[in-house]
Amino acid sequence: MAEHHAEVPSSDSAQEPRRAQEITVAQAFIRHSTAFTAWFDAQEGSLPADTPLKVTFDESGQPLFEVILRG
């Protein structure tokens, strides 16, 4: 039995950082529904479905959203 063991990653191990993504409001609702809905509800006014967003991730992997302003 000693040779039958599972390797379980340590909870202290560093997660690979996730790269920033550019998606639309519509895509954010689909990909990050709960987190995006909370962020969207806190915004003043509404955003069209095709509004571009930058999505980054905090240390715990939670998505953070920012409107990309194009000029």
Side-chain angles (χ1 to χ4, degrees):
M1 291 292 262
E3 62 274 349
H4 298 286
H5 68 278
E7 290 191 27
V8 179
S10 166
S11 61
D12 295 334
S13 64
Q15 288 186 354
E16 178 113 3
R18 295 173 70 178
R19 294 186 355 209
Q21 302 172 351
E22 185 176 323
I23 62 176
T24 65
V25 166
Q27 292 169 324
F29 270 119
I30 294 166
R31 295 183 190 174
H32 308 287
S33 60
T34 304
F36 184 72
T37 299
W39 178 85
F40 188 81
D41 288 346
Q43 303 306 301
E44 290 187 25
S46 64
L47 298 170
D50 62 347
T51 301
L53 301 173
K54 178 180 176 184
V55 182
T56 55
F57 300 88
D58 67 12
E59 311 79 45
S60 66
Q62 293 298 310
L64 306 170
F65 307 97
E66 179 183 338
V67 175
I68 297 173
L69 300 175
R70 308 223 186 221

